[in-house]
Amino acid sequence: MERWLCPSGGAWLLVAARALLQLLRADLRLDRPLLAALVLLATLDWLCQRLLPPLAALAVVAAAGWIALSCLARQPRLPVATRAVLITGCDSGFGKEAAKKLDAMGFTVLATVLDLDSPGALELRACCSPHLKLLQMDLTKPADISHALEFTKAHTTSTGLWGLVNNAGINDVVADAELSPVAMFRSCMEVNFFGTLQLTKGLLPLLRHSSGRIVTVGSPAGDMPYPCLAAYGTSKAAILLLMDVFDCELLPWGVKVSVIQPGCFKTESVQNVGHWERRKHLLLANLPQELLQAYGEDYVEHSHRQFLHSLSLALPDLNPVVDAIIDALLAAQPRRRYYPGRGLGLMYFIHHYLPEGLRRRFLQTFFISPCLPRALWPGQPSRTPTQDAVQDPDPNLGPSPMEAQ
């Protein structure tokens, strides 16, 4: 009883009353984020009681609890009405599932695919309403993007364009930056950055007119130095910064910009082990001899096995990402960043607050553990860099066709 009569006990009563009210209104869910917030609040209460005067402790705990409940409260959503949205990369994965769910909600969905006869395109035709329109588009081809812009304008004359979901992207090489062809860096940038940039800029007049939404599927690899994802990660870092720029510049127009940073989910491309095997063999076949001798085939094989192991732990349910996309499109005040997936909160905490050495070890342990290159094995003779060392791997090791995320 004495516990609840102390000042901080009064703060807990205030927090409990608001939480109960929000639960009754369905503005709050009894889930892990709420439980985690209560644990952190209890820790803060314990510290405040030992470090602050009673009234100061009351103010801090009450304010922290109020802010936490405000952040956890569900944002009111806008009506779907006749809103239209363009989604890229709908052949598979997040794009296909988002297109299906948005169509079921009543959106007019314009879904781009690489191939109008792909299994994903055929599935969308079979299970979605006539309001969903399929469009072939390759983000590496300016003519395709120009056609998509005209197609979008023609199909949104009565409704306007409410949202753009930039989902399409590629990643076709898993290797150290030195082993990854420069051509692969360029290919990732062409799809993940330049193609997305061109499409987004072309649709901005429509989005400004509707004060609509831009939602882009990024990756934690664009925030953190994931081992063996240099080409993919740098392209995602570029698009993340671009979206932050758009967020600032489009604020006066009422356009809201969100980025989805998903963890590892079992999309079709993730589950395609044969694809990753072929890319590994192509990488090994085209590595300059000096690089192959310096790193060794065992090094590449080790990275490949570690990568496949991490993919085997991917989450099968894509709904958290799809729900984040929907919230970014319809929430009255959408978040600038969404982090659907397991363990991302811990990863970002480590990345932002722990020393660099611990951050690096965590990523290596979580994703691809370190392996010593062959030239650094004990007893190996010292090597003098040759001309081959500065040559890029065969430019013919280009990417396979663009895959949806």
Side-chain angles (χ1 to χ4, degrees):
M1 183 67 180
E2 293 179 1
R3 173 72 181 83
W4 296 102
L5 294 176
C6 71
S8 63
W12 277 99
L13 288 174
L14 179 65
V15 170
R18 177 174 178 181
L20 180 60
L21 183 61
Q22 289 182 218
L23 287 169
L24 292 174
R25 291 178 176 175
D27 292 334
L28 191 67
R29 286 185 293 186
L30 188 59
D31 53 12
R32 284 187 295 178
L34 175 59
L35 296 178
L38 293 176
V39 170
L40 290 174
L41 189 63
T43 304
L44 178 65
D45 182 18
W46 182 82
L47 290 172
C48 287
Q49 288 190 56
R50 283 151 181 78
L51 300 176
L52 298 176
L55 289 180
L58 167 66
V60 170
V61 174
W66 200 266
I67 292 171
L69 292 176
S70 298
C71 293
L72 291 171
R74 290 184 178 183
Q75 291 289 338
R77 287 190 170 180
L78 304 174
V80 173
T82 57
R83 300 185 195 274
V85 58
L86 173 69
I87 310 175
T88 65
C90 295
D91 297 86
S92 62
F94 304 139
K96 184 183 72 175
E97 296 305 315
K100 289 162 61 176
K101 194 159 186 178
L102 290 171
D103 175 74
M105 293 174 66
F107 277 89
T108 297
V109 177
L110 309 180
T112 78
V113 292
L114 267 179
D115 182 358
L116 290 171
D117 294 319
S118 68
L122 296 176
E123 180 182 342
L124 290 175
R125 280 198 190 96
C127 71
C128 293
S129 75
H131 296 294
L132 183 138
K133 307 296 182 184
L134 286 175
L135 170 66
Q136 191 279 327
M137 185 183 68
D138 184 336
L139 281 173
T140 65
K141 298 178 179 178
D144 281 13
I145 296 177
S146 297
H147 176 59
L149 297 177
E150 294 303 319
F151 184 92
T152 303
K153 292 173 186 176
H155 284 81
T156 58
T157 51
S158 60
T159 62
L161 180 67
W162 172 250
L164 165 63
V165 179
N166 291 310
N167 167 70
I170 61 166
N171 173 35
D172 264 346
V173 64
V174 178
D176 286 24
E178 186 178 12
L179 304 181
S180 302
V182 171
M184 189 64 245
F185 280 83
R186 290 196 177 103
S187 297
C188 281
M189 289 297 293
E190 283 296 329
V191 176
N192 301 345
F193 180 76
F194 288 112
T196 301
L197 168 63
Q198 184 179 351
L199 179 67
T200 304
K201 280 174 61 68
L203 293 174
L204 281 183
L206 297 177
L207 293 167
R208 285 191 286 102
H209 184 265
S210 64
S211 296
R213 304 290 169 85
I214 300 173
V215 184
T216 300
V217 178
S219 169
D223 286 328
M224 308 177 205
Y226 272 73
C228 299
L229 292 184
Y232 178 70
T234 50
S235 66
K236 286 298 186 179
I239 199 64
L240 291 180
L241 182 57
L242 175 67
M243 290 301 145
D244 284 343
V245 171
F246 277 144
D247 184 49
C248 295
E249 295 178 347
L250 297 174
L251 188 62
W253 299 93
V255 177
K256 294 181 171 60
V257 180
S258 298
V259 173
I260 315 294
Q261 299 284 73
C264 190
F265 288 83
K266 285 187 178 179
T267 59
E268 282 86 340
S269 60
V270 165
Q271 298 181 79
N272 192 348
V273 175
H275 166 75
W276 296 112
E277 288 286 348
R278 290 190 294 273
R279 300 306 296 176
K280 178 198 68 176
H281 290 308
L282 196 56
L283 174 69
L284 285 170
N286 290 279
L287 277 179
Q289 191 60 29
E290 195 280 336
L291 279 179
L292 187 57
Q293 291 176 354
Y295 281 86
E297 186 173 337
D298 290 343
Y299 185 90
V300 177
E301 290 284 357
H302 171 83
S303 298
H304 178 72
R305 287 195 304 270
Q306 293 282 307
F307 175 69
L308 291 183
H309 174 70
S310 69
L311 295 187
S312 70
L313 303 176
L315 300 175
D317 183 9
L318 306 188
N319 281 318
V321 179
V322 175
D323 291 342
I325 291 173
I326 294 171
D327 191 76
L329 288 170
L330 289 180
Q333 295 297 326
R335 304 177 195 169
R336 292 179 63 249
R337 292 283 192 275
Y338 291 84
Y339 301 97
R342 185 173 52 204
L344 285 183
L346 174 61
M347 290 175 61
Y348 274 91
F349 175 82
I350 290 173
H351 177 68
H352 287 300
Y353 297 109
L354 296 190
E356 189 274 335
L358 290 177
R359 299 200 305 263
R360 183 176 64 251
R361 288 174 197 163
F362 177 79
L363 277 179
Q364 290 172 341
T365 303
F366 175 80
F367 189 58
I368 294 179
S369 61
C371 174
L372 203 61
R374 180 178 295 172
L376 299 179
W377 291 0
Q380 290 294 315
S382 60
R383 297 184 178 273
T384 303
T386 65
Q387 183 64 30
D388 284 341
V390 296
Q391 291 177 352
D392 187 59
D394 192 330
N396 291 325
L397 183 58
S400 63
M402 180 181 68
E403 294 181 3
Q405 298 211 13

